[in-house]
């Protein structure tokens, strides 16, 4: 287990990590996600022991490791650059951390062979690093990080330099490998899809502070504020006011449109922000319905499995729709009606951009 207690790192007057409280369970994979400058890498270097915190504690299995050198924390590391030794073979790269730990040569050969088989590089031991593809180098870096059986594995954007298809394949492989080995893992990434695909839980960091920490589904479906909703995936926001008509709860958007809702927990006349994901919106020709959001197609993009529409509504705001249902493709300028199931509504308190205490990136 990893426990961070009021962990803070300041560079002069700037707090890169600001009183972070975090617990990572044994065998869990947690991804740290956030914009550039949010403190992701600083948090990772503090856990690794490359930086000392200004204040707070880092507990590994209940023991405070502040002051303990990085090489004594039993942590495996994979960097974006892989940090492999180019003058060594694949075998020599993997053997290096075992030689440092004074493991006998015959045992090293056995452990290296096992590691090569785990990352599907059996037979590559004699290859030089510059003879490998980017994906193969990434596998070598990963194998070197876990070959000495560390308690913790830290991944600092190890797939950032790879193309999209290869990243997707390796995400699955790394997740399967991490589960089979049971290594507690913390990963840093800018890639939202990677975070959703690989993680048991996701930590959203902004200006050194935790915005939200939870499962991928919790963060995607029930974000605590507009920053999380905007940063993890694509979202549409409708500012408006709650009311009741014929005993039924309704949400009247500032555009004038009436949106069906129920059991929101808000009071009559209370302001709020409704969040709806683009894939939950149904788009159809405008039929004069009183319920829904009316607008016209500003432009559309065919994505293969779906069509993405940008729809301008009554108050001039733009709504994004990902439509995977209609065979018909709506034309630019065509009037449309947008609707969705009330169960997909999610309401937030921070209803105006002016009230946001942080920048939405």
């Amino acid at each position: 287990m990893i426990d961070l207690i009021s962990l803070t790192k300041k560079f002069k007057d700037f707090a890169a990590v600001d009183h972070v409280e975090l617990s990572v369970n044994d065998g869990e994979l947690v991804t740290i996600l956030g914009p550039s400058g949010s403190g992701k890498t600083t948090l990772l270097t503090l856990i690794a022991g490359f930086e000392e915190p200004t204040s707070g504690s880092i507990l590994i299995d209940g023991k405070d490791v502040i002051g303990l050198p990085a090489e004594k924390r039993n942590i495996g590391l994979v960097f974006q650059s892989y940090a492999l030794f180019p003058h060594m073979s694949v075998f020599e790269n993997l053997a290096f951390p075992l030689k440092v730990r004074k493991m006998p040569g015959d045992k090293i050969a056995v452990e290296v062979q096992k590691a090569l088989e785990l990352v599907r590089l059996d037979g590559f031991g004699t290859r030089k690093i510059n003879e490998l593809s980017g994906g193969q180098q990434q596998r070598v870096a990963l194998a070197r990080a876990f070959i000495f059986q560390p308690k913790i594995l830290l991944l600092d954007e190890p797939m950032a330099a790879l193309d999209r298809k290869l990243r997707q394949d390796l995400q699955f492989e790394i997740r399967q490998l991490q589960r089979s080995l049971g290594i507690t893992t913390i990963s840093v990434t800018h890639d939202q899809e990677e975070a959703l695909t690989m993680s048991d839980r996701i930590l959203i960091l902004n200006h050194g502070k935790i915005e939200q920490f939870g499962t991928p589904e919790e963060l995607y479906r029930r974000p605590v504020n507009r920053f999380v909703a905007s940063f993890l995936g694509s979202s549409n926001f409708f500012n408006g006011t709650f009311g009741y008509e014929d005993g039924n709860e309704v949400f009247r958007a500032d555009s004038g449109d009436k949106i069906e809702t129920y059991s929101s927990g808000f009071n009559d006349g209370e302001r709020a922000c409704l969040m709806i994901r683009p894939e939950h919106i149904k788009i159809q020709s405008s039929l004069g319905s009183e319920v829904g959001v009316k607008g016209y197609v500003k432009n559309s993009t065919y994505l293969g499995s779906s069509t993405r529409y940008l729809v301008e509504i009554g108050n001039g705001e733009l709504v994004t729709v990902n439509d995977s249902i209609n065979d018909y493709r709506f034309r630019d300028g065509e009037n449309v009606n947008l609707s969705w199931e009330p169960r997909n509504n999610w309401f937030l308190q921070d209803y105006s951009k002016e009230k946001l205490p942080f920048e939405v990136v």
Side-chain angles (χ1 to χ4, degrees):
M1 287 185 63
I2 305 169
D3 292 293
L4 308 183
I5 302 171
S6 195
L7 194 65
T8 299
K9 177 63 178 179
K10 289 186 177 181
F11 297 97
K12 295 184 179 180
D13 294 330
F14 172 68
V17 174
D18 194 356
H19 293 89
V20 166
E21 300 273 349
L22 176 67
S23 290
V24 180
N25 298 321
D26 184 24
E28 189 174 29
L29 194 155
V30 168
T31 298
I32 304 173
L33 189 65
S36 297
S38 61
K40 303 187 301 297
T41 298
T42 301
L43 189 57
L44 213 64
T45 58
L46 289 171
I47 297 169
F50 298 142
E51 293 274 0
E52 286 294 303
T54 305
S55 60
S57 299
I58 301 172
L59 306 183
I60 296 178
D61 287 341
K63 179 184 176 182
D64 197 336
V65 296
I66 300 295
L68 192 68
E71 65 271 16
K72 295 190 180 295
R73 296 192 182 188
N74 198 21
I75 292 175
L77 296 158
V78 181
F79 299 99
Q80 182 176 340
S81 62
Y82 307 145
L84 298 170
F85 301 120
H87 62 287
M88 293 183 181
S89 67
V90 169
F91 181 95
E92 291 167 333
N93 266 276
L94 298 187
F96 181 80
L98 302 180
K99 287 180 178 179
V100 170
R101 289 163 175 80
K102 311 295 185 186
M103 183 178 286
D106 56 343
K107 185 130 187 266
I108 287 176
V110 172
E111 293 302 316
V112 169
Q113 181 58 35
K114 282 162 55 177
L116 287 171
E117 290 172 3
L118 270 173
V119 296
R120 298 193 295 114
L121 288 177
D122 189 16
F124 281 72
T126 58
R127 298 272 189 98
K128 293 293 185 183
I129 297 303
N130 60 10
E131 296 174 343
L132 304 179
S133 68
Q136 290 167 342
Q137 290 184 33
Q138 200 265 1
R139 288 192 179 95
V140 174
L142 190 64
R144 191 179 65 177
F146 68 68
I147 196 169
F148 59 93
Q149 298 179 353
K151 285 186 175 182
I152 297 166
L153 183 63
L154 302 180
L155 309 175
D156 189 8
E157 303 206 51
M159 292 177 280
L162 304 177
D163 64 68
R164 179 179 174 83
K165 179 65 170 64
L166 186 54
R167 276 204 318 272
Q168 290 175 332
D169 292 342
L170 286 171
Q171 285 165 18
F172 176 78
E173 289 182 22
I174 289 174
R175 184 57 167 143
Q176 293 297 105
L177 186 61
Q178 184 268 337
R179 280 176 170 161
S180 67
L181 295 172
I183 299 178
T184 304
T185 302
I186 299 179
S187 176
V188 162
T189 184
H190 281 91
D191 190 320
Q192 300 170 12
E193 183 179 325
E194 181 180 314
L196 289 168
T197 301
M198 294 180 62
S199 311
D200 291 307
R201 289 190 290 172
I202 298 173
L203 175 74
I204 303 286
L205 208 60
N206 186 36
H207 298 318
K209 293 179 179 290
I210 296 176
E211 294 289 348
Q212 190 171 357
F213 183 43
T215 66
E217 185 178 5
E218 286 170 348
L219 269 64
Y220 190 80
R221 295 187 63 87
R222 298 182 292 280
V224 295
N225 55 41
R226 287 181 65 143
F227 177 83
V228 175
S230 298
F231 194 79
L232 192 64
S234 180
S235 299
N236 296 295
F237 300 102
F238 298 92
N239 300 324
T241 307
F242 280 94
Y244 288 84
E245 295 181 8
D246 299 325
N248 297 317
E249 183 182 76
V250 294
F251 181 78
R252 183 71 70 176
D254 290 347
S255 61
D257 296 295
K258 185 168 64 175
I259 298 170
E260 286 184 322
T261 183
Y262 57 84
S263 303
S264 67
F266 286 80
N267 298 317
D268 188 15
E270 191 171 358
R271 295 281 296 175
C273 173
L274 185 154
M275 182 206 85
I276 188 73
R277 297 290 186 180
E279 65 272 18
H280 291 150
I281 299 177
K282 180 180 180 181
I283 182 170
Q284 54 192 150
S285 295
S286 183
L287 301 174
S289 172
E290 292 184 9
V291 178
V293 177
K294 296 173 182 57
Y296 72 93
V297 175
K298 191 108 170 142
N299 61 59
S300 63
T301 305
Y302 180 66
L303 303 175
S305 60
S306 65
T307 301
R308 179 173 297 162
Y309 293 99
L310 203 60
V311 176
E312 184 170 324
I313 61 176
N315 58 355
E317 292 186 3
L318 298 175
V319 178
T320 303
V321 181
N322 285 347
D323 176 36
S324 58
I325 299 174
N326 290 300
D327 292 328
Y328 172 77
R329 183 168 175 179
F330 296 95
R331 302 181 304 276
D332 289 0
E334 188 169 354
N335 291 325
V336 292
N337 190 69
L338 309 179
S339 61
W340 53 88
E341 294 289 334
R343 61 186 172 85
N344 290 319
N345 290 336
W346 183 248
F347 291 99
L348 302 167
Q349 291 281 358
D350 47 341
Y351 62 86
S352 67
K353 292 180 181 178
E354 291 74 26
K355 291 180 66 176
L356 285 175
F358 37 71
E359 180 185 2
V360 175
V361 178

